Amino acid sequence: MTPFESQSRCIGVLTSGGDCPGLNSALRGITKAAIQDYNMKVVGILDGFRGLVENRTVPLDFDSTSGVLTRGGTLLGTSRDKPRKMQMGGKVMDMTQAAVDNARKHDFDCVVCLGGGGTQKNAWHLHRTGGLDVMTLPKTIDNDVAGTDVTFGFDTAVQICTEAIDRLHTTATSHDRIIVVEVMGHNTGWLALAAGIAGGADVILIPEIPYEVEAVVDYLKERQRRYGKRFSIVCVAEGAMSAEEAAARAESAARKKADRKDENGAAAAPDGAPHGYRLVKESLASRVARDLQQLTRTEARVTSLGHVQRGGVPSAADRLLTTRLGTTAVELLAAGTYNVMVAVRDGQCVPVPLGDVAGKKKLVPIDHDWIDSARRVGTCLGVTDDQLLELMHP
Ligand code: F6P
């Protein structure tokens, strides 16, 4: 399409869910390509889907997206609000129609939504229920969006966590301590696994492999006995769980949902809390450290990397990826392709139907080669080697 043909086209862009490095460079890629190659008008929607419902927008152009390639966070702001269940003046309301009406008022050809699993679902909902044309880009440090080989933000987070593990190594060695380092990943272990391997963690615990504390203790004792290593680094994903917890969780999942309790048994979010509100709970890392200290009689410490993992400048790989995803998105829009997620498949940026992605999560497959490589260099994955092999090749 020539610039003349697309002159009247206008796209809305929003960022939703937890922020991550690379969002601004994606916004830059979209905006610059849309204006330069297709002369489109680009409107930024503030604070995720809430901004669409409340009609809060800013124009995006060369000026406003200049100098943001290296900047972390999102210049549009973000939220975890869902159009179909939004806190509005103390009440939870379905605001789907308001979102659609505002998109129509702006005459958006399409709303481009940058986000993780929740965003894919919300965007798909706006299309299915409200008839809005949408497009999504896969973002999250968790790398758990279905349908894409990788999400942007992941590479940067892996780098941050790996550097942290490197630093923890020197102090753990000096003091002969176990250091349990907790990284993000409440449903999946991609980040813990990648950073744990890259940082040479001795133990890696991920949600996909419920761990047995005895197996970890035996491993650590053997490490001391056979190799004389009294320090160890244990890298845990925040959502990892013991085998007993996994069994209990599976059993009571339905009941917990019914009586609105969180997994710690505490009361659910108070009325009026924003969507995504989570209660502060005892971290898994603290529990693991306490158990390991008691059972190995080795002093233990905990480091929770928290939101440090999501802050700061994107890596070169994420800058490259987001620029490619953003510019590919515009090319697809110009060609009239809607209601897809721009995914990464075998190194290429390609459209995948949003309906195939929404509501799905990409877990680490137990037979994934990262798990196999970790095992082959002697890393403990929370179970014995025999148990792991049995899980990998049942
Ligand atoms: O969804 C991405 C993520 O970074 C998770 O890994 C983490 O559990 C969660 O966000 C934390 O969210 P919040 O910033 O809302 O506490």
Side-chain angles (χ1 to χ4, degrees):
M1 181 175 293
T2 65
F4 177 77
E5 286 171 299
S6 52
Q7 207 152 28
S8 60
R9 294 175 75 176
C10 173
I11 55 171
V13 189
L14 61 82
T15 57
S16 171
D19 73 330
C20 78
L23 281 166
N24 287 329
S25 51
L27 292 172
R28 171 181 176 270
I30 294 168
T31 305
K32 291 197 169 183
I35 295 170
Q36 179 183 288
D37 282 358
Y38 299 104
N39 204 20
M40 294 177 186
K41 187 173 157 202
V42 187
V43 175
I45 299 159
L46 300 174
D47 302 331
F49 292 100
R50 180 166 287 275
L52 187 58
V53 165
E54 294 174 353
N55 196 18
R56 289 185 288 113
T57 61
V58 288
L60 287 181
D61 52 28
F62 264 72
D63 231 29
S64 56
T65 56
S66 168
V68 304
L69 175 68
T70 58
R71 206 191 296 163
T74 162
L75 60 91
L76 294 179
T78 185
S79 72
R80 293 193 184 275
D81 289 303
K82 306 174 185 183
R84 69 180 188 286
K85 269 188 189 175
M86 199 172 281
Q87 282 281 352
M88 299 297 292
K91 275 199 279 181
V92 178
M93 293 171 66
D94 184 345
M95 300 305 290
T96 306
Q97 199 51 49
V100 173
D101 290 347
N102 285 331
R104 302 256 185 260
K105 261 185 229 157
H106 283 277
D107 208 13
F108 289 149
D109 200 36
C110 176
V111 178
V112 184
C113 309
L114 281 54
T119 304
Q120 313 302 323
K121 247 165 113 171
N122 290 327
W124 183 237
H125 167 78
L126 286 181
H127 173 66
R128 283 224 359 209
T129 313
L132 212 61
D133 280 326
V134 294
M135 180 178 280
T136 64
L137 262 55
K139 163 241 68 168
T140 166
I141 66 164
D142 293 351
N143 194 35
D144 60 355
V145 175
T148 183
D149 293 346
V150 71
T151 58
F152 71 82
F154 177 64
D155 182 78
T156 308
V158 171
Q159 249 183 47
I160 295 169
C161 296
T162 303
E163 192 195 325
I165 294 173
D166 289 348
R167 289 176 187 277
L168 292 172
H169 250 115
T170 61
T171 173
T173 320
S174 304
H175 287 268
D176 279 341
R177 283 175 174 154
I178 294 171
I179 295 193
V180 180
V181 51
E182 182 177 285
V183 308
M184 282 186 170
H186 57 288
N187 290 307
T188 62
W190 291 103
L191 184 53
L193 188 58
I197 293 172
D202 306 293
V203 179
I204 303 173
L205 305 181
I206 61 173
E208 290 85 346
I209 307 178
Y211 69 90
E212 301 206 344
V213 77
E214 301 75 26
V216 178
V217 169
D218 288 349
Y219 171 89
L220 295 179
K221 284 186 175 165
E222 181 66 2
R223 189 173 137 76
Q224 287 187 8
R225 197 188 60 74
R226 191 186 293 186
Y227 305 108
K229 307 257 190 190
R230 298 192 53 78
F231 79 93
S232 293
I233 300 289
V234 179
C235 177
V236 304
E238 61 182 334
M241 60 194 116
S242 67
E244 299 85 68
E245 285 166 331
R249 192 173 293 190
E251 212 173 282
S252 64
R255 180 174 50 78
K256 275 192 184 144
K257 209 170 181 181
D259 66 6
R260 295 185 73 235
K261 303 273 176 154
D262 83 351
E263 61 264 37
N264 262 6
D271 288 343
H275 175 69
Y277 181 103
R278 287 206 217 124
L279 295 148
V280 175
K281 55 180 183 177
E282 186 198 11
S283 75
L284 167 76
S286 307
R287 277 184 289 143
V288 170
R290 191 186 51 213
D291 289 349
L292 296 182
Q293 176 161 303
Q294 270 169 9
L295 297 168
T296 62
R297 297 182 178 277
T298 305
E299 201 182 12
R301 291 286 188 273
V302 176
T303 298
S304 187
L305 297 182
H307 290 80
V308 166
Q309 295 160 92
R310 290 212 321 234
V313 301
S315 65
D318 273 330
R319 294 179 207 178
L320 173 62
L321 177 60
T322 46
T323 303
R324 292 173 63 215
L325 287 170
T327 53
T328 304
V330 171
E331 213 176 302
L332 290 165
L333 287 176
T337 308
Y338 303 114
N339 309 311
V340 296
M341 176 179 81
V342 189
V344 181
R345 295 265 180 96
D346 300 325
Q348 302 300 309
C349 295
V350 293
V352 297
L354 192 51
D356 292 352
V357 170
K360 295 190 184 138
K361 203 169 282 302
K362 185 182 70 180
L363 301 179
V364 180
I366 303 298
D367 61 353
H368 195 276
D369 70 289
W370 292 3
I371 292 182
D372 196 41
S373 293
R375 187 190 71 75
R376 285 172 189 270
V377 293
T379 309
C380 171
L381 274 301
V383 292
T384 65
D385 210 37
D386 287 347
Q387 285 171 321
L388 184 59
L389 285 169
E390 176 61 27
L391 287 171
M392 292 174 81
H393 312 288

